[in-house]
Amino acid sequence: MASAPRQSRLLRLLGLNLAIALAYVAGKALGKAPISGGFSPVWPPTGIALASLVLFGREALPGVAIGCLSSLGTSGLPWLPSLGIALANFTEASLGAWILHRGGFRATLARTKDVLLLTIPVAVLGALVGATLGCLSLALALPGGLAEAFRSWWSWSMEDLLGVLVVAPPILTLASRQRLGDRPLRRRIPEGALLLVAAALLGCLVFGGAVGDVAIQFGLTYALFPLVLAAADRHGPRGASLATFLTAASALAAGHFGMGPLGRAEGREYLILLAGFLALLALTALLLAAAGSERRERARQLRGQARLMEMATESIGMAGLGGRVLQLNAAGRSLFGLGPKSTLSGLRVLNLIAPEDRRRFQETILPQVLEQGSWSGELAILDLSTGESIPTRHFLFRIDNPQDGRAEAFGAIGHDLREALREEAAFRQTQRLESLGVLAGGIAHDYNNLLTAVMGHLDLARELVAPSHPAQEHLLAASTLAERSGALTRQILDYAGKGPAARERLDPRRLVLDLTELLKSSISKKAELVLDLEDPLPPLLGDPVQLEQVVMNLLVNASEALEGRAGRIHLSLRAARLEAAELGRRFPGFDLAAGTYVVLSVVDDGCGMAPEVRERIFDPFFTTKFEGRGLGLSALRGILQAHGGGVEVLSEPGKGSAFTLVLPAAGD
């Protein structure tokens, strides 16, 4: 017993082929007209059979075969000629479907290629093959043999040709998914219906002989073109095929009842005039609709490409061979310091190249692009708004005319290297500081061990020497110096992030308030200390002595940066949820994970720092002061690393400095 899915498939195939066979027989009844010996200008079964095989493939073969064999009982001819005519019709449809399949045909008819494929090798060649085989079969039944049979060859060819051009397209386009365009469906449906009704009514008026004057009647024939072409332009292949079909239907109806100027013409004259008109109308409408669909598709692709170009994060532009800038996307405008609404008129490529690279661009880069087709490498460009030279990596390529292959422009894709260079510099700085930290930590650890032994021997020596002995004074002085050396060792260990730390839960707000009260006498009297402390704040887990040292160093340095002038020191404290991307960008080298952080900022309006000074502020023993060891900021970095935090420094000469510290909140 067959399974349920198989039974369902068999029932579907049975219903499909029965519908195709019935449609074929109905098409024969509608297409038959008493014109030129029983032939009509359009033979619908040809289009029905072809469309069925194109849409359903081999599954439709039984239905098409049954429809073709129906002529055995309806043609009035002996069985052998009737069988030959059926085989001719079946061969014509099968051959046409095979050609379309091999040619990559799309049933939407939205490409000019598809219309030409349907017209020339299928409609024309198929009509010739079908008419020839049909006339050879008909010769078996006619007394005059081949001569009499082939008198109908021209009419037979024309009706099969129009069956493909007029009947198949509406079936194919209605069964396929069509792109509806940009206009809303509620506006397209009434407009399309109005055009189709107008085409049908005008067809009845033109071919029905409602206007008695023959000259006027023939003139009205051309009035059908604007309506059908409007349907093609506004509604694509589906509108074109339906409008052509309705026009042909009205013509067939008029011819069937012998009305109108074409209907009054005698036999062959009628067939030639009407067939030629319908073939020209169908081909023109389908080609126009396909060209319009291709134009809209190209426009849609161009809009998408333009949108992609605008949304790209890289600079993308195009310039003519004369150097005039033709296009530049949003990222490019931003990179070159152009406003979003600024015009490109008069802007030349050399205006966008930094002075130090203009000669290289003219003498080396551009000639290579034009001769070899492309160039890639580093190129300094100019920010037109600030005059800053910006390092970039650019890929330049030649754009050729597709017609003759000659170069007509060149394109450029650029990537800003500033962030990459900053990250690379930060990475090198981090590696250098880590190396120094390992070295300093190792030396401090060994020195501390030796210092401990020295202090032990000094204590033993003081015990062995009488209190009144003159050497006691020197031993005491040596012990004091050894203890001070120990403090220096602890600072070096702090810099290396290996100093001993007593972790406890701290209130960062209370820690800052207590420390600033103690430091008011230490910072400059002309400095205005402004506190902006968020309340409440999450607690910290850390060493209070080390964290106090960090805050103290920042405030003292900010005070000294004022250089005795009146100024402001702004200290803020807040909590913030920071993501990994922001932490990696602002605090490179600290390897911080996303989470909740306590953010401490100290901002002054002092003298600021030059870039070369800013790069070395965390180096051990580096200082810009006349006296001092220069371990304050070095130790600050080590302490922050030991506490899982980080520091960001922003400073420019004459514009002050801003130190931003982040420390992970306890429990996050």
Side-chain angles (χ1 to χ4, degrees), residues 582 585-588 590 600-601 618 640 646-650 658-662:
E582 181 182 0
R585 185 181 69 254
R586 295 180 59 190
F587 307 95
F590 285 94
L600 185 145
S601 296
F618 295 115
L640 289 175
V647 58
E648 176 191 44
V649 182
L650 301 175
F659 285 77
T660 302
L661 280 58
V662 290

Side-chain angles (χ1 to χ4, degrees), residues 614-653:
R614 191 171 64 247
E615 290 178 1
R616 299 191 59 194
I617 58 174
F618 295 115
D619 289 3
F621 304 108
F622 173 78
T623 180
T624 58
K625 306 169 188 176
F626 290 109
E627 57 183 24
R629 293 189 301 270
L631 273 172
L633 290 179
S634 303
L636 176 146
R637 181 184 176 90
I639 291 170
L640 289 175
Q641 283 183 318
H643 283 76
V647 58
E648 176 191 44
V649 182
L650 301 175
S651 182
E652 290 185 35

Side-chain angles (χ1 to χ4, degrees), residues 588-623:
F590 285 94
D591 194 22
L592 305 179
T596 301
Y597 286 83
V598 175
V599 183
L600 185 145
S601 296
V602 176
V603 182
D604 66 72
D605 52 6
C607 59
M609 292 179 284
E612 59 271 15
V613 174
R614 191 171 64 247
E615 290 178 1
R616 299 191 59 194
I617 58 174
F618 295 115
D619 289 3
F621 304 108
F622 173 78
T623 180

Side-chain angles (χ1 to χ4, degrees), residues 232-586:
D233 180 61
R234 301 287 288 177
H235 298 275
R238 184 175 290 171
S241 58
L242 287 174
T244 305
F245 177 80
L246 290 175
T247 302
S250 61
L252 283 177
H256 184 81
F257 294 106
M259 298 184 298
L262 299 179
R264 288 194 294 270
E266 294 293 332
R268 185 178 299 275
E269 227 180 274
Y270 166 78
L271 186 64
I272 293 173
L273 287 173
L274 182 57
F277 171 78
L278 292 177
L280 182 61
L281 182 66
L283 185 58
T284 304
L286 289 175
L287 285 174
L288 178 65
S293 296
E294 288 177 329
R295 185 183 67 250
R296 285 188 289 271
E297 180 64 18
R298 284 194 297 269
R300 186 184 67 83
Q301 291 177 355
L302 287 174
R303 287 195 300 271
Q305 291 171 1
R307 180 64 175 166
L308 286 174
M309 178 177 168
E310 280 301 302
M311 296 301 293
T313 57
E314 307 286 14
S315 168
I316 303 176
M318 183 175 72
L321 296 182
R324 186 167 64 90
V325 178
L326 303 176
Q327 292 183 14
L328 194 61
N329 69 344
R333 290 173 180 269
S334 175
L335 179 63
F336 291 106
L338 296 170
K341 296 183 180 180
S342 59
T343 178
L344 300 178
S345 177
L347 186 62
R348 307 189 70 79
V349 174
L350 281 182
N351 301 137
L352 304 177
I353 308 296
E356 62 267 26
D357 265 355
R358 285 176 184 171
R359 184 174 180 179
R360 183 168 68 99
F361 179 82
Q362 287 181 298
E363 297 179 357
T364 304
I365 298 174
L366 190 56
Q368 181 178 331
V369 173
L370 298 180
E371 293 171 8
Q372 301 180 17
S374 65
W375 173 89
S376 64
E378 294 187 8
L379 180 66
I381 60 97
L382 193 65
D383 186 331
L384 298 179
S385 62
T386 63
E388 176 190 0
S389 178
I390 300 174
T392 65
R393 176 171 292 280
H394 262 78
F395 173 64
L396 276 66
F397 54 94
R398 188 181 64 210
I399 300 174
D400 297 334
N401 188 316
Q403 303 298 326
D404 55 19
R406 292 184 178 181
E408 61 180 8
F410 66 91
I413 302 174
H415 177 69
D416 189 350
L417 292 178
R418 286 177 294 185
E419 185 64 29
L421 292 175
R422 280 195 293 266
E423 291 178 358
E424 184 181 347
F427 178 71
R428 287 199 303 267
Q429 173 77 349
T430 300
Q431 283 190 316
R432 185 168 61 87
L433 292 176
E434 286 179 353
S435 299
L436 288 172
V438 172
L439 177 63
I443 293 174
H445 185 269
D446 292 342
Y447 179 72
N448 194 52
N449 289 338
L450 294 174
L451 194 60
T452 302
V454 169
M455 293 179 66
H457 284 291
L458 287 174
D459 289 341
L460 289 175
R462 289 179 61 192
E463 290 181 3
L464 294 174
V465 177
S468 59
H469 195 281
Q472 281 285 358
E473 180 180 353
H474 299 291
L475 292 173
L476 180 60
S479 297
T480 303
L481 292 174
E483 290 177 359
R484 290 181 180 177
S485 298
L488 177 60
T489 304
R490 285 191 295 275
Q491 281 191 314
I492 295 175
L493 289 172
D494 287 341
Y495 162 73
K498 300 177 181 178
R503 294 288 191 268
E504 59 182 81
R505 205 172 183 85
L506 303 172
D507 179 357
R509 191 170 185 276
R510 174 50 52 194
L511 184 145
V512 170
L513 286 174
D514 292 344
L515 189 61
T516 51
E517 285 295 326
L518 294 174
L519 285 175
K520 282 184 179 179
S521 58
S522 302
I523 62 175
S524 172
K525 301 300 182 183
K526 296 181 179 180
E528 178 188 1
L529 180 59
V530 179
L531 300 180
D532 180 11
L533 309 181
E534 189 177 281
D535 189 21
L537 285 170
L540 295 175
L541 192 63
D543 185 331
V545 175
Q546 290 185 340
L547 294 180
E548 285 177 358
Q549 180 184 348
V550 166
V551 179
M552 179 180 65
N553 282 335
L554 291 179
L555 291 176
V556 170
N557 285 346
S559 173
E560 292 176 349
L562 297 176
E563 297 179 333
R565 297 179 289 103
R568 172 179 291 191
I569 301 173
H570 185 272
L571 188 153
S572 66
L573 200 59
R574 61 186 179 88
R577 173 77 186 181
L578 300 177
E579 300 301 326
E582 181 182 0
L583 290 166
R585 185 181 69 254
R586 295 180 59 190

Side-chain angles (χ1 to χ4, degrees), residues 60-250:
L61 285 173
V64 173
I66 293 171
C68 294
L69 291 172
S70 65
S71 61
L72 291 175
T74 58
S75 64
L77 298 173
W79 71 271
L80 187 58
S82 296
L83 181 61
I85 292 173
L87 290 175
N89 293 335
F90 185 80
T91 301
E92 180 182 355
S94 302
L95 178 64
W98 180 82
I99 292 173
L100 292 178
H101 174 71
R102 296 289 294 180
F105 177 77
R106 295 181 186 174
T108 57
L109 290 172
R111 301 180 300 175
T112 306
K113 167 189 172 181
D114 298 326
V115 176
L116 294 177
L117 191 63
L118 181 70
T119 302
I120 299 173
V122 175
V124 175
L125 180 62
L128 296 178
V129 171
T132 302
L133 294 177
C135 288
L136 287 174
S137 301
L138 190 62
L140 299 175
L142 297 178
L146 288 175
E148 185 177 351
F150 272 86
R151 289 179 58 190
S152 305
W153 184 86
W154 174 255
S155 302
W156 198 318
S157 300
M158 289 301 297
E159 67 182 13
D160 281 3
L161 173 71
L162 288 173
V164 172
L165 290 181
V166 173
V167 178
I171 298 175
L172 293 172
T173 55
L174 286 171
S176 60
R177 298 184 64 180
Q178 300 275 325
R179 185 177 291 278
L180 298 178
D182 299 329
R183 289 177 297 144
L185 193 62
R186 66 177 182 275
R187 292 177 55 187
R188 294 178 59 85
I189 291 180
E191 179 188 284
L194 183 62
L195 283 172
L196 294 179
V197 171
L201 292 177
L202 185 58
C204 293
L205 179 66
V206 169
F207 300 111
V211 180
D213 191 284
V214 175
I216 297 177
Q217 202 76 36
F218 272 109
L220 286 175
T221 304
Y222 294 97
L224 285 164
F225 270 91
L227 279 176
V228 175
L229 297 185
D233 180 61
R234 301 287 288 177
H235 298 275
R238 184 175 290 171
S241 58
L242 287 174
T244 305
F245 177 80
L246 290 175
T247 302
S250 61

